[in-house]
Amino acid sequence: YIGCVIDVHERKIAQEKLQTSESRLRLAAETTGFGSYDLDMQTNETVWSNEIFRIFGVDIGERFTRSDMFLQVHQDDRSGYSKLYQDLLQVNAPEKFAFEHRIVRKSGEIRWVCNSGRVVFAPDAGRRQPIRVIGTIFDITDRKIFEQTLERAKQLAEEANRSRGEFLAN
């Protein structure tokens, strides 16, 4: 009979810390409304957080590829989104990016999102090859509505000021 005893105490502690950290990140994402993703640039495989599904109005676990996500980008924003993706494939890709655009959920509802992330390059120092994009998508619809309201109030104030000036001139 041959036996072996392996102390896994350190591994168990590390696993518990990792689970706690993941739980905190998941709660933060749910609380603030941001979703995260990890895109493999070679295989085009993407890992989405549950919050991404909520933002895009897709059932959690439903098949949702990068192409499916692109189809939900608002028609007027697709060229900008495509250009950003093509830029990220280049050897001179920016390390960080942020792009605000609209999405159209299956229900037809239009939402504004901010897609920001970081490009991860191959470890080979001689070749600056992008291999992954890790990022977040944050629903900024409320902020955009507020900005539009402020812009409209500014225009109304300017119109009122012009009218008052014209009235006084007469």
Side-chain angles (χ1 to χ4, degrees):
Y1 177 76
I2 298 175
C4 180
V5 176
I6 300 173
D7 183 4
V8 295
H9 180 73
E10 297 293 324
R11 186 181 330 160
K12 286 289 188 188
I13 290 173
Q15 284 176 337
E16 288 173 7
K17 285 182 179 179
L18 180 61
Q19 287 173 342
T20 301
S21 177
E22 287 177 351
S23 176
R24 284 184 186 133
L25 179 59
R26 188 173 29 261
L27 285 171
E30 290 172 4
T31 302
T32 59
F34 78 86
S36 60
Y37 62 90
D38 186 345
L39 166 65
D40 183 316
M41 301 291 272
Q42 275 79 42
T43 65
N44 231 7
E45 182 181 327
T46 308
V47 177
W48 309 103
S49 71
N50 288 346
E51 201 61 21
I52 292 283
F53 289 93
R54 189 197 62 73
I55 290 168
F56 281 86
V58 177
D59 292 332
I60 294 175
E62 184 178 330
R63 185 180 181 282
F64 190 62
T65 65
R66 195 186 71 74
S67 297
D68 294 329
M69 190 209 54
F70 177 75
L71 291 175
Q72 284 193 247
V73 172
H74 192 278
Q75 186 68 36
D76 295 341
D77 299 332
R78 284 187 185 169
S79 63
Y81 184 87
S82 293
K83 181 181 179 335
L84 171 66
Y85 185 74
Q86 291 305 314
D87 289 348
L88 297 178
L89 292 171
Q90 306 304 314
V91 293
N92 61 343
E95 287 189 22
K96 295 180 182 179
F97 66 90
F99 181 64
E100 294 182 0
H101 62 89
R102 291 162 291 178
I103 60 171
V104 182
R105 291 180 170 176
K106 290 180 181 180
S107 65
E109 179 186 14
I110 297 174
R111 306 290 295 178
W112 276 94
V113 297
C114 179
N115 182 348
S116 59
R118 175 176 212 97
V119 178
V120 178
F121 297 92
D124 182 5
R127 272 180 59 219
R128 188 177 145 103
Q129 180 68 33
I131 57 171
R132 289 173 60 202
V133 176
I134 298 173
T136 61
I137 295 180
F138 186 69
D139 188 328
I140 59 170
T141 304
D142 292 340
R143 187 191 88 197
K144 285 294 191 176
I145 290 170
F146 181 70
E147 288 173 0
Q148 291 168 353
T149 302
L150 283 179
E151 182 62 31
R152 182 69 183 134
K154 179 183 169 193
Q155 289 172 353
L156 289 172
E158 288 171 351
E159 287 175 19
N161 195 30
R162 261 193 312 278
S163 295
R164 184 179 62 90
E166 290 172 5
F167 176 77
L168 291 175
N170 287 333

